[in-house]
Amino acid sequence: MERDGRDAPTVRRPLLPSARSVALVAAGGAIGTAARYGVGGRFPVEAGELPLATFGENVLGAALLGLLVAVLASRRPYSGQLRLLLATGTLGAFTTFSSFASEVVVLVRDDHVGLALAYVVATLVAGVAAAAAGVRLGSRLSGPTPRQAVSGHEVIPEKAPNR
């Protein structure tokens, strides 16, 4: 509710994304999928081994996503189209939860429970740390926002307008 007691107007979004948005995500997805396929082909996994390709892709993708989000959030006007192409499409396809999950299941199935648990913990810890490092680097590269310049604190905008 607003201060005068009236409800704030709601923003209605279309039920389906626009054809342009879908095309941007698809184009980025093609790039990210090809990159992931190339990396996976260079680092095949043998039974009972840590899936290093997927681990590296997910950690690198988290760092790049953090960097990209920070840089795009600092831009005025904010580019929702770049976010769709690069973040949702390219990095969404480059990182892979499905491969991660299936590799964990295979490790457990093959009685490598300790390795599976280590893989899960390492992926989560390294992914969050990489994303935080990416955001921090992106914030530094972008320069301070007006709010940061006044307070001296790093700020990740809650939500940038989608244009």
Side-chain angles (χ1 to χ4, degrees):
M1 294 187 88
E2 291 188 21
R3 291 182 192 182
D4 65 2
R6 292 182 292 176
D7 288 335
T10 58
V11 176
R12 293 190 183 254
R13 292 185 179 216
L15 184 59
L16 298 173
S18 69
R20 180 180 179 87
S21 295
V22 171
L24 287 167
V25 172
I31 294 165
T33 300
R36 181 168 44 94
Y37 179 77
V39 171
R42 305 275 293 167
F43 301 98
V45 179
E46 298 295 324
E49 289 184 350
L50 185 68
L52 291 176
T54 303
F55 177 80
E57 290 161 347
N58 286 337
V59 172
L60 176 61
L64 292 173
L65 185 59
L67 174 73
L68 182 65
V69 165
V71 169
L72 289 179
S74 71
R75 294 181 57 170
R76 297 294 178 250
Y78 174 78
S79 177
Q81 292 178 352
L82 275 177
R83 179 185 53 83
L84 288 172
L85 175 69
L86 299 175
T88 305
T90 304
L91 293 175
F94 182 71
T95 59
T96 173
F97 184 79
S98 58
S99 292
F100 166 71
S102 63
E103 290 163 349
V104 169
V105 168
V106 168
L107 286 170
V108 170
R109 181 199 67 198
D110 293 346
D111 293 324
H112 300 288
V113 176
L115 183 59
L117 184 58
Y119 179 41
V120 168
V121 170
T123 298
L124 293 174
V125 169
V128 170
V135 168
R136 191 169 198 86
L137 178 61
S139 296
R140 289 178 191 233
L141 292 174
S142 300
T145 64
R147 185 171 169 190
Q148 289 172 335
V150 172
S151 68
H153 297 285
E154 291 186 51
V155 176
I156 298 174
E158 290 178 18
K159 187 169 183 180
N162 190 6
R163 295 183 190 193

